[in-house]
Amino acid sequence: MSDSTDRPLVEAVLSNAPGAFERLVREYQDLCWHIIYRMVRHPEDARDLCQDTFLRVHRTLHQYRYESALKSWIGRIAYHIALRHLERKRIPIFDVVQDSDLPALVENLSDGFDLEAAYADLDMAVRLHAAIEALPPLQRTVLTLYHLDELPIGDIAAITGLAIGTIKSHLFRTRLHLREVLESAHGVLP
Amino acid sequence: MNHTPQPPHDEAEEREWLMQERAAEASRLGSVPDDATPTPYGVIVRTLRQPLDENLPADFACHVAEHARRRASINMYFELVSSWILCGILMVIMTGLLIHFGTDWLKPIQSVLPLHAMANEWVAALVACLLVFNLINKLLDARMRTVH
């Protein structure tokens, strides 16, 4: 959706056009769900938080100034609601990784290892899913927004309030980590 | 949490990043990369693109829209009640002021408006009250229109 499609929808919701808000929810519920479910992981909590997000959108839509895409604006609300939920539960949202760990990690990766073939093994697929689930909330969310929702890095930065370089770094390190998990599970890495 | 990770900066990391991005692009387009070099990230990216194991219920949008509508109408009702209470308080204050200072105000008004009816201070007070009442009604109507 772009400004040209956002504007009529926002104006329809603000003028209480029948079905307009439901249309808005339908349009953005997947994005909202991906952000919140990836952050909090608990389905019941995530559903409640998704509802809270859209109720807040309904209450504050008159404050939306078209300075960013509506998608980013709603995503930012969802992200902050999930973030506050995690803070209340004292769950850290990302791992502190030392930059000095990276070169060793990159050098240890095998060039010739065929992950495609290894993945045919069901156990490897299960391991990969488990590794994704075990990621810290922020990294999991960034990966999902980038790969599943196909959001550009700039939009992810707008949603999370992080710098573009930080998002790139999270993507890079997390995918590297997943590769390492798979290769070490297959006995390639020391 | 004060450590901000940095994007890839050396040659090996840059190569790794390009490999990751090539796999992501290929997966988006549903094709193999142009140079057909197998990338170890293909399986990772494909797994990341799989739908989540849980989803929102099918009637989520309808349910939330109904909830928002109910909440808005409750809020509007309270706003309306508060507005009426404030109007009532305003009327009481104005009546008190009129009773207390009415005669002082009437003299200059009478000198400007030579209407016989205005000679009676109670008629003037009534006209003032009606004017205020009409004004408040118009303001409330305008507010209701903006809420709807």
Coordinates of all heavy atoms in Angstrom, one line a residue, chain A residues 15-16 21-22 25 29 33-34 37-38 47 50-51 54-55 58-59 92 96-97 99 102 109 115-116 119 128-129 132 143 146-148 150 165-166 168-170 172-173 175-176 178-179, chain B residues 1 3-8 12-13 16-17 19-21 24 28 40-50 52-57 60-65 67-68 71 147-148:
Chain A
S15 N -13.9 9.1 9.0 CA -15.3 9.6 8.8 C -16.3 8.5 9.1 O -17.5 8.6 8.8 CB -15.5 10.0 7.4 OG -15.2 9.0 6.5
N16 N -15.8 7.4 9.8 CA -16.6 6.3 10.2 C -17.4 5.6 9.1 O -18.6 5.3 9.3 CB -17.6 6.7 11.3 CG -16.9 6.7 12.6 OD1 -16.1 5.9 13.0 ND2 -17.2 7.8 13.4
F21 N -12.9 0.4 9.0 CA -11.9 0.0 9.9 C -11.7 -1.5 9.8 O -10.5 -1.9 10.0 CB -12.4 0.4 11.4 CG -11.3 0.1 12.4 CD1 -10.1 0.7 12.3 CD2 -11.5 -0.9 13.4 CE1 -9.1 0.4 13.2 CE2 -10.5 -1.1 14.3 CZ -9.3 -0.5 14.2
E22 N -12.7 -2.2 9.6 CA -12.5 -3.7 9.4 C -11.6 -4.0 8.2 O -10.7 -4.9 8.2 CB -13.9 -4.4 9.1 CG -13.8 -5.9 9.2 CD -15.1 -6.6 9.1 OE1 -16.2 -6.0 9.5 OE2 -15.2 -7.7 8.5
V25 N -8.1 -3.3 9.3 CA -7.6 -4.4 10.1 C -7.2 -5.6 9.3 O -6.1 -6.1 9.4 CB -8.6 -4.8 11.2 CG1 -8.1 -6.0 12.0 CG2 -8.9 -3.7 12.1
Q29 N -3.5 -7.0 9.5 CA -3.4 -7.9 10.6 C -2.3 -8.9 10.5 O -1.7 -9.3 11.5 CB -4.8 -8.6 10.7 CG -5.2 -9.6 9.6 CD -6.5 -10.2 9.9 OE1 -7.4 -9.6 10.4 NE2 -6.7 -11.4 9.4
W33 N 0.4 -9.4 13.3 CA 0.6 -10.7 13.9 C 2.0 -11.2 13.8 O 2.6 -11.7 14.8 CB -0.4 -11.7 13.2 CG -0.2 -13.1 13.7 CD1 0.3 -14.2 13.0 CD2 -0.6 -13.6 15.0 NE1 0.3 -15.3 13.8 CE2 -0.2 -15.0 15.0 CE3 -1.2 -13.1 16.1 CZ2 -0.5 -15.8 16.1 CZ3 -1.4 -13.9 17.2 CH2 -1.1 -15.3 17.2
H34 N 2.7 -11.0 12.7 CA 4.0 -11.4 12.5 C 5.0 -10.7 13.5 O 5.8 -11.3 14.1 CB 4.5 -11.2 11.1 CG 3.9 -12.1 10.1 ND1 3.9 -11.8 8.7 CD2 3.1 -13.2 10.3 CE1 3.2 -12.8 8.1 NE2 2.7 -13.6 9.0
Y37 N 3.6 -11.8 17.3 CA 3.8 -13.3 17.6 C 5.3 -13.6 17.7 O 5.7 -14.4 18.5 CB 3.0 -14.1 16.6 CG 3.1 -15.6 16.9 CD1 2.7 -16.1 18.2 CD2 3.5 -16.5 16.0 CE1 2.8 -17.4 18.5 CE2 3.6 -17.9 16.3 CZ 3.3 -18.3 17.5 OH 3.3 -19.7 17.8
R38 N 6.0 -13.1 16.7 CA 7.5 -13.3 16.7 C 8.1 -12.7 18.0 O 9.1 -13.3 18.5 CB 8.1 -12.7 15.5 CG 8.1 -13.6 14.2 CD 8.4 -15.0 14.6 NE 8.8 -15.8 13.4 CZ 9.0 -17.1 13.5 NH1 8.8 -17.8 14.6 NH2 9.4 -17.7 12.4
R47 N -2.5 -12.6 20.5 CA -3.8 -12.3 20.0 C -4.4 -11.0 20.7 O -4.9 -10.1 20.1 CB -4.8 -13.4 20.1 CG -4.8 -14.3 19.0 CD -5.7 -15.5 19.1 NE -5.1 -16.6 18.4 CZ -4.8 -17.8 18.9 NH1 -5.1 -18.1 20.1 NH2 -4.2 -18.7 18.1
C50 N -2.5 -8.0 19.7 CA -2.9 -7.6 18.3 C -4.1 -6.8 18.4 O -4.3 -5.7 17.8 CB -3.1 -8.8 17.5 SG -1.9 -9.1 16.3
Q51 N -5.1 -7.2 19.3 CA -6.3 -6.5 19.4 C -6.0 -5.1 20.0 O -6.6 -4.1 19.6 CB -7.3 -7.3 20.3 CG -8.6 -6.5 20.6 CD -9.6 -7.4 21.2 OE1 -9.9 -8.5 20.7 NE2 -10.2 -7.0 22.3
F54 N -4.8 -2.7 17.4 CA -5.7 -2.1 16.5 C -6.7 -1.2 17.2 O -7.2 -0.2 16.6 CB -6.5 -3.2 15.7 CG -5.7 -3.7 14.6 CD1 -5.1 -5.0 14.6 CD2 -5.4 -3.0 13.5 CE1 -4.3 -5.5 13.6 CE2 -4.6 -3.4 12.4 CZ -4.0 -4.7 12.5
L55 N -7.0 -1.4 18.5 CA -7.8 -0.5 19.2 C -7.1 0.8 19.4 O -7.6 1.9 19.3 CB -8.2 -1.1 20.6 CG -9.1 -2.3 20.6 CD1 -9.4 -2.8 22.0 CD2 -10.4 -1.9 19.9
H58 N -7.2 2.6 16.1 CA -8.5 3.3 16.0 C -8.6 4.6 16.8 O -9.2 5.6 16.3 CB -9.6 2.3 16.4 CG -11.0 2.7 16.1 ND1 -11.8 3.3 17.1 CD2 -11.7 2.7 15.0 CE1 -13.0 3.6 16.5 NE2 -12.9 3.3 15.3
R59 N -8.0 4.6 18.0 CA -8.1 5.7 18.9 C -7.2 6.9 18.4 O -7.5 8.0 18.6 CB -7.7 5.3 20.3 CG -8.5 6.0 21.4 CD -8.2 5.4 22.7 NE -6.8 5.3 23.0 CZ -6.2 4.1 23.3 NH1 -6.9 3.0 23.4 NH2 -4.9 4.1 23.6
P92 N 14.6 -10.3 27.9 CA 15.5 -9.5 27.0 C 15.1 -9.6 25.6 O 14.7 -10.7 25.2 CB 16.8 -10.0 27.3 CG 16.6 -11.4 27.9 CD 15.2 -11.4 28.6
V96 N 23.3 -9.8 23.3 CA 24.5 -9.0 23.1 C 25.6 -9.8 22.6 O 26.1 -10.7 23.2 CB 24.9 -8.3 24.5 CG1 26.1 -7.4 24.3 CG2 23.8 -7.5 25.1
V97 N 25.9 -9.6 21.3 CA 27.0 -10.4 20.6 C 28.2 -9.5 20.5 O 28.1 -8.4 20.1 CB 26.5 -10.9 19.2 CG1 27.6 -11.7 18.6 CG2 25.2 -11.7 19.4
D99 N 31.4 -8.1 18.7 CA 31.9 -8.0 17.3 C 33.1 -8.9 17.0 O 33.3 -9.4 16.0 CB 32.3 -6.5 17.0 CG 31.0 -5.7 16.6 OD1 30.0 -6.3 16.1 OD2 31.1 -4.5 16.8
L102 N 32.7 -12.4 15.4 CA 32.3 -12.6 14.1 C 33.4 -13.2 13.1 O 33.1 -14.2 12.5 CB 31.9 -11.3 13.5 CG 30.3 -11.0 13.5 CD1 30.1 -9.8 12.7 CD2 29.6 -12.2 12.8
L109 N 33.3 -21.4 8.8 CA 32.2 -22.0 8.0 C 32.9 -22.8 6.8 O 33.9 -22.4 6.3 CB 31.3 -20.9 7.4 CG 30.5 -20.2 8.5 CD1 29.8 -19.0 7.9 CD2 29.4 -21.2 9.0
L115 N 24.4 -27.8 2.4 CA 23.2 -27.7 3.3 C 22.0 -28.3 2.7 O 21.1 -28.8 3.4 CB 23.1 -26.3 3.8 CG 23.8 -25.8 5.0 CD1 23.5 -24.4 5.3 CD2 23.4 -26.7 6.2
E116 N 21.8 -28.1 1.4 CA 20.6 -28.5 0.7 C 20.4 -30.0 1.0 O 19.3 -30.4 1.3 CB 20.7 -28.2 -0.8 CG 20.7 -26.8 -1.1 CD 19.3 -26.1 -1.1 OE1 18.3 -26.8 -1.0 OE2 19.3 -24.8 -1.1
Y119 N 19.6 -30.8 4.5 CA 18.3 -30.4 5.0 C 17.2 -31.5 4.6 O 16.2 -31.5 5.2 CB 17.9 -29.1 4.3 CG 16.7 -28.4 4.9 CD1 16.8 -27.8 6.2 CD2 15.5 -28.4 4.3 CE1 15.7 -27.2 6.8 CE2 14.4 -27.8 4.8 CZ 14.5 -27.2 6.1 OH 13.4 -26.6 6.6
L128 N 16.6 -26.7 12.5 CA 16.6 -25.3 12.0 C 15.4 -24.5 12.5 O 15.5 -23.4 13.0 CB 16.5 -25.3 10.4 CG 16.5 -23.9 9.7 CD1 17.7 -23.1 10.2 CD2 16.6 -24.1 8.2
H129 N 14.2 -25.2 12.6 CA 13.0 -24.5 13.1 C 13.3 -24.2 14.6 O 12.9 -23.1 15.1 CB 11.8 -25.4 13.0 CG 11.2 -25.3 11.6 ND1 10.4 -24.2 11.2 CD2 11.2 -26.1 10.5 CE1 10.1 -24.4 10.0 NE2 10.5 -25.5 9.5
I132 N 15.5 -21.2 15.0 CA 14.8 -20.0 14.7 C 13.9 -19.6 16.0 O 13.9 -18.5 16.4 CB 13.9 -20.1 13.5 CG1 14.8 -20.3 12.2 CG2 13.0 -18.9 13.3 CD1 14.1 -20.6 11.0
L143 N 14.1 -11.0 11.1 CA 14.1 -12.1 10.1 C 12.8 -12.3 9.4 O 12.7 -12.4 8.2 CB 14.6 -13.4 10.7 CG 16.1 -13.6 10.9 CD1 16.4 -15.0 11.4 CD2 16.9 -13.4 9.7
Y146 N 11.7 -9.3 7.2 CA 12.6 -9.2 6.0 C 12.2 -10.3 5.0 O 12.1 -10.1 3.8 CB 14.0 -9.3 6.4 CG 15.0 -8.9 5.2 CD1 15.0 -7.7 4.7 CD2 15.8 -9.9 4.7 CE1 15.8 -7.4 3.6 CE2 16.7 -9.6 3.7 CZ 16.7 -8.4 3.1 OH 17.5 -8.1 2.1
H147 N 12.1 -11.6 5.5 CA 12.0 -12.7 4.6 C 10.5 -13.0 4.3 O 10.1 -13.3 3.2 CB 12.7 -13.9 5.1 CG 14.2 -13.7 5.1 ND1 14.9 -13.8 3.9 CD2 15.1 -13.5 6.0 CE1 16.2 -13.6 4.2 NE2 16.3 -13.4 5.4
L148 N 9.7 -13.1 5.4 CA 8.3 -13.5 5.1 C 7.4 -12.3 4.6 O 6.7 -12.4 3.7 CB 7.7 -14.1 6.5 CG 6.3 -14.6 6.4 CD1 6.1 -15.7 5.4 CD2 5.9 -15.1 7.8
E150 N 8.7 -9.5 3.4 CA 9.4 -8.9 2.4 C 9.5 -7.4 2.5 O 9.4 -6.6 1.6 CB 8.8 -9.2 1.0 CG 8.9 -10.7 0.7 CD 8.5 -11.1 -0.7 OE1 8.1 -10.2 -1.4 OE2 8.5 -12.3 -1.0
G165 N 21.8 0.3 9.7 CA 23.0 -0.6 9.9 C 22.8 -1.6 10.9 O 23.3 -2.7 10.8
T166 N 22.1 -1.3 12.0 CA 21.8 -2.2 13.0 C 20.9 -3.4 12.5 O 21.1 -4.5 12.9 CB 21.1 -1.5 14.2 OG1 21.9 -0.4 14.6 CG2 21.0 -2.4 15.4
K168 N 20.7 -4.4 9.4 CA 21.6 -5.2 8.5 C 22.4 -6.2 9.4 O 22.6 -7.3 9.0 CB 22.5 -4.3 7.7 CG 21.9 -3.8 6.5 CD 22.9 -3.1 5.7 CE 22.3 -2.5 4.4 NZ 23.3 -1.7 3.6
S169 N 23.0 -5.6 10.4 CA 23.8 -6.4 11.3 C 23.1 -7.6 11.9 O 23.6 -8.7 12.0 CB 24.4 -5.5 12.4 OG 25.2 -6.3 13.3
H170 N 21.9 -7.3 12.4 CA 21.1 -8.4 13.0 C 20.8 -9.5 11.9 O 20.8 -10.7 12.2 CB 19.7 -7.8 13.6 CG 19.9 -7.2 14.9 ND1 20.5 -7.8 16.0 CD2 19.5 -5.9 15.4 CE1 20.5 -7.0 17.0 NE2 19.9 -5.8 16.7
F172 N 22.5 -10.2 9.2 CA 23.7 -10.9 8.9 C 24.1 -11.9 10.0 O 24.3 -13.1 9.7 CB 24.8 -9.8 8.7 CG 26.2 -10.4 8.4 CD1 26.4 -11.2 7.3 CD2 27.2 -10.2 9.3 CE1 27.7 -11.7 7.0 CE2 28.5 -10.8 9.1 CZ 28.7 -11.5 7.9
R173 N 24.2 -11.4 11.2 CA 24.6 -12.3 12.3 C 23.7 -13.4 12.5 O 24.1 -14.5 12.8 CB 24.7 -11.5 13.6 CG 25.8 -10.5 13.6 CD 25.5 -9.4 14.5 NE 26.6 -8.5 14.6 CZ 27.6 -8.6 15.4 NH1 27.7 -9.7 16.2 NH2 28.6 -7.8 15.4
R175 N 21.5 -14.9 10.4 CA 21.6 -15.9 9.4 C 22.9 -16.7 9.4 O 22.9 -17.9 9.2 CB 21.4 -15.2 8.0 CG 20.0 -14.7 7.8 CD 19.8 -14.1 6.4 NE 20.6 -13.0 6.1 CZ 20.3 -12.0 5.2 NH1 19.1 -12.0 4.6 NH2 21.1 -11.0 5.0
L176 N 23.9 -16.0 9.8 CA 25.2 -16.7 10.0 C 25.1 -17.7 11.1 O 25.6 -18.8 11.0 CB 26.3 -15.6 10.3 CG 27.7 -16.0 10.2 CD1 28.1 -16.4 8.8 CD2 28.6 -14.8 10.7
L178 N 22.4 -19.2 12.1 CA 21.6 -20.3 11.7 C 22.4 -21.3 10.9 O 22.3 -22.5 11.0 CB 20.3 -19.9 11.0 CG 19.3 -19.1 11.8 CD1 18.2 -18.6 10.9 CD2 18.7 -20.0 12.9
R179 N 23.2 -20.7 10.0 CA 24.1 -21.6 9.2 C 25.1 -22.4 10.1 O 25.3 -23.6 9.9 CB 24.9 -20.7 8.2 CG 25.8 -21.5 7.3 CD 26.6 -20.7 6.4 NE 27.5 -21.6 5.7 CZ 28.5 -21.2 4.8 NH1 28.7 -19.9 4.6 NH2 29.3 -22.0 4.2
Chain B
M1 N 22.6 -3.7 27.3 CA 22.0 -3.5 26.0 C 22.5 -2.3 25.3 O 21.9 -1.7 24.5 CB 20.5 -3.3 26.2 CG 19.7 -4.4 26.8 SD 18.7 -5.2 25.5 CE 18.0 -6.5 26.4
H3 N 25.2 -2.3 23.5 CA 26.1 -2.7 22.4 C 25.3 -2.7 21.2 O 24.4 -3.5 21.0 CB 26.7 -4.1 22.7 CG 27.6 -4.6 21.6 ND1 28.9 -4.2 21.5 CD2 27.3 -5.4 20.6 CE1 29.4 -4.8 20.4 NE2 28.4 -5.6 19.9
T4 N 25.7 -1.8 20.2 CA 25.0 -1.8 18.9 C 25.8 -2.6 17.9 O 27.0 -2.2 17.6 CB 24.8 -0.4 18.4 OG1 24.2 0.3 19.5 CG2 24.0 -0.3 17.2
P5 N 25.3 -3.7 17.4 CA 26.1 -4.5 16.5 C 26.3 -3.7 15.2 O 25.5 -2.9 14.8 CB 25.2 -5.7 16.2 CG 23.9 -5.5 16.8 CD 24.0 -4.3 17.7
Q6 N 27.5 -4.0 14.6 CA 27.8 -3.2 13.3 C 27.5 -4.1 12.1 O 27.6 -5.3 12.2 CB 29.3 -2.9 13.4 CG 29.7 -1.9 14.5 CD 28.9 -0.6 14.4 OE1 28.8 0.0 13.4 NE2 28.2 -0.3 15.5
P7 N 27.2 -3.5 11.0 CA 27.0 -4.2 9.7 C 28.3 -4.8 9.3 O 29.4 -4.4 9.7 CB 26.4 -3.2 8.8 CG 26.7 -1.9 9.4 CD 26.9 -2.0 10.8
P8 N 28.2 -5.8 8.3 CA 29.4 -6.4 7.8 C 30.4 -5.4 7.3 O 30.1 -4.5 6.6 CB 29.0 -7.3 6.6 CG 27.5 -7.3 6.7 CD 27.0 -6.3 7.6
A12 N 35.6 -10.9 4.0 CA 34.9 -12.2 4.2 C 33.5 -12.0 4.6 O 32.6 -12.7 4.2 CB 35.7 -13.0 5.3
E13 N 33.2 -11.0 5.5 CA 31.9 -10.8 6.0 C 31.0 -10.3 4.8 O 29.9 -10.6 4.7 CB 31.9 -9.8 7.1 CG 32.4 -10.4 8.4 CD 32.5 -9.3 9.5 OE1 31.8 -8.3 9.5 OE2 33.3 -9.6 10.4
E16 N 30.0 -13.1 2.7 CA 29.0 -13.9 3.3 C 27.6 -13.2 3.2 O 26.6 -13.8 3.0 CB 29.4 -14.0 4.8 CG 28.6 -15.1 5.6 CD 29.1 -16.5 5.1 OE1 30.1 -16.7 4.5 OE2 28.3 -17.5 5.4
W17 N 27.7 -11.8 3.4 CA 26.4 -11.0 3.3 C 25.8 -11.1 1.9 O 24.6 -11.3 1.8 CB 26.8 -9.6 3.7 CG 25.7 -8.6 3.3 CD1 25.7 -7.8 2.2 CD2 24.5 -8.3 4.0 NE1 24.5 -7.0 2.2 CE2 23.8 -7.3 3.3 CE3 23.9 -8.8 5.2 CZ2 22.6 -6.8 3.8 CZ3 22.7 -8.3 5.7 CH2 22.0 -7.3 4.9
M19 N 26.2 -13.5 -0.2 CA 25.6 -14.9 -0.3 C 24.2 -15.0 0.3 O 23.3 -15.5 -0.3 CB 26.6 -15.9 0.3 CG 26.6 -17.2 -0.3 SD 28.2 -18.0 -0.1 CE 28.6 -17.9 1.6
Q20 N 24.1 -14.4 1.5 CA 22.8 -14.4 2.1 C 21.8 -13.6 1.3 O 20.6 -14.1 1.1 CB 22.9 -13.7 3.5 CG 23.8 -14.4 4.5 CD 23.9 -13.7 5.8 OE1 23.5 -12.5 5.9 NE2 24.5 -14.3 6.8
E21 N 22.2 -12.5 0.8 CA 21.2 -11.7 0.0 C 20.8 -12.3 -1.3 O 19.7 -12.2 -1.7 CB 21.8 -10.3 -0.2 CG 21.8 -9.4 1.0 CD 20.4 -9.2 1.6 OE1 19.6 -8.5 1.0 OE2 20.2 -9.8 2.6
A24 N 18.3 -14.8 -0.6 CA 17.0 -14.2 -0.2 C 16.3 -13.7 -1.5 O 15.1 -13.9 -1.7 CB 17.2 -13.0 0.7
R28 N 12.8 -15.1 -3.1 CA 11.7 -14.1 -3.4 C 11.2 -14.3 -4.8 O 10.0 -14.3 -5.1 CB 12.2 -12.7 -3.3 CG 11.8 -12.1 -2.0 CD 12.3 -10.7 -1.8 NE 12.8 -10.5 -0.4 CZ 13.8 -9.8 0.0 NH1 14.4 -9.1 -0.9 NH2 14.1 -9.7 1.2
P40 N 24.7 -21.8 0.6 CA 24.3 -22.6 1.8 C 23.1 -21.9 2.5 O 22.5 -22.5 3.4 CB 25.5 -22.5 2.7 CG 26.3 -21.4 2.2 CD 26.0 -21.2 0.8
Y41 N 22.7 -20.7 2.1 CA 21.6 -20.0 2.8 C 20.2 -20.3 2.2 O 19.2 -19.9 2.7 CB 21.9 -18.5 2.8 CG 23.0 -18.2 3.7 CD1 24.3 -17.9 3.2 CD2 22.8 -18.1 5.1 CE1 25.3 -17.6 4.1 CE2 23.8 -17.8 6.0 CZ 25.1 -17.6 5.5 OH 26.1 -17.3 6.3
G42 N 20.2 -21.1 1.1 CA 18.9 -21.3 0.4 C 17.9 -22.0 1.4 O 16.8 -21.5 1.5
V43 N 18.3 -23.0 2.1 CA 17.4 -23.7 3.0 C 17.0 -22.8 4.1 O 15.8 -22.8 4.6 CB 18.0 -25.0 3.5 CG1 18.0 -26.1 2.5 CG2 19.3 -24.8 4.2
I44 N 17.9 -22.0 4.6 CA 17.6 -21.1 5.7 C 16.5 -20.1 5.3 O 15.5 -19.9 6.0 CB 18.9 -20.4 6.2 CG1 19.8 -21.5 6.8 CG2 18.6 -19.4 7.3 CD1 21.2 -21.0 7.1
V45 N 16.8 -19.5 4.2 CA 15.8 -18.5 3.7 C 14.5 -19.1 3.4 O 13.4 -18.5 3.7 CB 16.5 -17.8 2.4 CG1 15.4 -17.0 1.7 CG2 17.6 -16.9 2.8
R46 N 14.4 -20.2 2.8 CA 13.1 -20.8 2.5 C 12.4 -21.2 3.8 O 11.2 -21.0 3.9 CB 13.3 -22.1 1.6 CG 13.6 -21.8 0.2 CD 13.3 -23.0 -0.7 NE 14.1 -24.2 -0.3 CZ 15.3 -24.4 -0.7 NH1 15.9 -23.5 -1.5 NH2 16.0 -25.5 -0.4
T47 N 13.1 -21.6 4.8 CA 12.5 -21.9 6.1 C 11.9 -20.6 6.7 O 10.8 -20.6 7.2 CB 13.5 -22.5 7.0 OG1 14.1 -23.6 6.4 CG2 12.8 -23.0 8.3
L48 N 12.7 -19.5 6.5 CA 12.2 -18.2 7.1 C 11.0 -17.7 6.4 O 10.3 -16.9 6.9 CB 13.4 -17.2 7.1 CG 14.5 -17.5 8.0 CD1 15.7 -16.6 7.7 CD2 14.1 -17.3 9.5
R49 N 10.8 -18.1 5.2 CA 9.6 -17.6 4.4 C 8.4 -18.5 4.6 O 7.3 -18.1 4.1 CB 10.0 -17.6 2.9 CG 11.0 -16.5 2.6 CD 11.4 -16.6 1.1 NE 10.3 -16.4 0.2 CZ 9.7 -15.3 -0.1 NH1 10.2 -14.1 0.4 NH2 8.7 -15.2 -1.0
Q50 N 8.5 -19.5 5.4 CA 7.3 -20.3 5.6 C 6.4 -19.6 6.6 O 6.8 -18.9 7.5 CB 7.7 -21.7 6.3 CG 8.4 -22.6 5.3 CD 9.0 -23.8 5.9 OE1 8.8 -24.1 7.1 NE2 9.6 -24.6 5.1
L52 N 3.8 -18.7 9.6 CA 4.0 -19.1 11.0 C 3.1 -20.2 11.4 O 2.0 -20.4 10.8 CB 3.7 -17.8 11.9 CG 4.5 -16.6 11.6 CD1 4.3 -15.5 12.7 CD2 6.0 -16.9 11.5
D53 N 3.4 -20.9 12.5 CA 2.6 -22.1 12.9 C 1.3 -21.7 13.5 O 0.3 -22.5 13.5 CB 3.4 -22.9 13.9 CG 3.9 -22.1 15.1 OD1 3.9 -20.9 15.0 OD2 4.3 -22.7 16.1
E54 N 1.1 -20.5 14.0 CA -0.1 -20.0 14.6 C -0.6 -18.8 13.8 O 0.2 -18.0 13.3 CB 0.0 -19.6 16.0 CG 0.3 -20.7 17.0 CD -1.0 -21.4 17.5 OE1 -2.0 -20.8 17.3 OE2 -0.8 -22.4 18.1
N55 N -1.9 -18.6 13.7 CA -2.4 -17.4 13.0 C -3.6 -16.8 13.8 O -4.1 -17.4 14.7 CB -2.9 -17.8 11.6 CG -1.8 -17.8 10.6 OD1 -1.1 -16.7 10.5 ND2 -1.5 -18.9 10.0
L56 N -4.0 -15.6 13.4 CA -5.1 -15.0 14.0 C -6.4 -15.7 13.5 O -6.4 -16.2 12.4 CB -5.2 -13.5 13.6 CG -4.2 -12.6 14.2 CD1 -4.1 -11.2 13.5 CD2 -4.5 -12.4 15.7
P57 N -7.5 -15.7 14.4 CA -8.7 -16.3 13.9 C -9.3 -15.6 12.7 O -9.0 -14.4 12.5 CB -9.6 -16.2 15.1 CG -9.0 -15.3 16.1 CD -7.5 -15.2 15.7
F60 N -11.1 -12.3 13.1 CA -10.4 -11.3 13.9 C -10.8 -9.8 13.6 O -11.1 -9.0 14.4 CB -8.9 -11.5 13.8 CG -8.1 -10.5 14.6 CD1 -7.9 -10.6 16.0 CD2 -7.4 -9.4 13.9 CE1 -7.2 -9.6 16.7 CE2 -6.7 -8.5 14.6 CZ -6.6 -8.6 16.0
A61 N -10.7 -9.5 12.3 CA -10.9 -8.1 11.8 C -12.3 -7.7 12.2 O -12.5 -6.6 12.7 CB -10.7 -8.0 10.3
C62 N -13.3 -8.6 12.0 CA -14.7 -8.2 12.3 C -14.9 -8.0 13.8 O -15.5 -7.0 14.2 CB -15.5 -9.4 11.8 SG -17.3 -9.3 12.2
H63 N -14.3 -8.9 14.6 CA -14.4 -8.8 16.0 C -13.7 -7.5 16.6 O -14.3 -6.8 17.4 CB -13.7 -10.1 16.6 CG -13.5 -10.1 18.1 ND1 -14.6 -10.3 18.9 CD2 -12.5 -9.8 18.9 CE1 -14.2 -10.2 20.2 NE2 -12.9 -9.9 20.2
V64 N -12.6 -7.2 16.0 CA -11.9 -6.0 16.5 C -12.6 -4.7 16.1 O -12.8 -3.8 16.9 CB -10.4 -5.9 16.0 CG1 -9.8 -4.6 16.3 CG2 -9.6 -7.0 16.6
A65 N -13.2 -4.7 14.9 CA -13.9 -3.6 14.4 C -15.1 -3.3 15.3 O -15.5 -2.2 15.6 CB -14.3 -3.8 12.9
H67 N -15.5 -4.3 18.4 CA -15.0 -3.9 19.7 C -14.7 -2.4 19.7 O -15.0 -1.6 20.6 CB -13.7 -4.7 20.0 CG -13.3 -4.6 21.5 ND1 -13.0 -5.7 22.2 CD2 -13.2 -3.6 22.3 CE1 -12.7 -5.4 23.4 NE2 -12.8 -4.1 23.5
A68 N -14.0 -1.9 18.6 CA -13.6 -0.5 18.5 C -14.8 0.4 18.4 O -14.9 1.5 19.0 CB -12.7 -0.3 17.3
R71 N -16.5 0.6 21.8 CA -15.6 1.4 22.7 C -15.8 2.9 22.4 O -15.9 3.7 23.3 CB -14.2 1.0 22.6 CG -13.3 1.7 23.6 CD -11.9 1.2 23.4 NE -11.6 0.0 24.2 CZ -10.4 -0.2 24.7 NH1 -9.4 0.6 24.5 NH2 -10.2 -1.3 25.5
V147 N -17.5 13.7 15.6 CA -17.4 12.4 16.1 C -17.9 11.3 15.1 O -17.3 10.3 14.9 CB -18.1 12.2 17.5 CG1 -18.1 10.7 17.9 CG2 -17.3 13.0 18.5
H148 N -19.1 11.6 14.5 CA -19.6 10.7 13.5 C -18.9 10.8 12.2 O -19.1 10.3 11.2 CB -21.1 10.9 13.3 CG -21.9 10.3 14.5 ND1 -21.9 9.0 14.7 CD2 -22.5 10.9 15.4 CE1 -22.6 8.8 15.8 NE2 -23.0 9.9 16.3

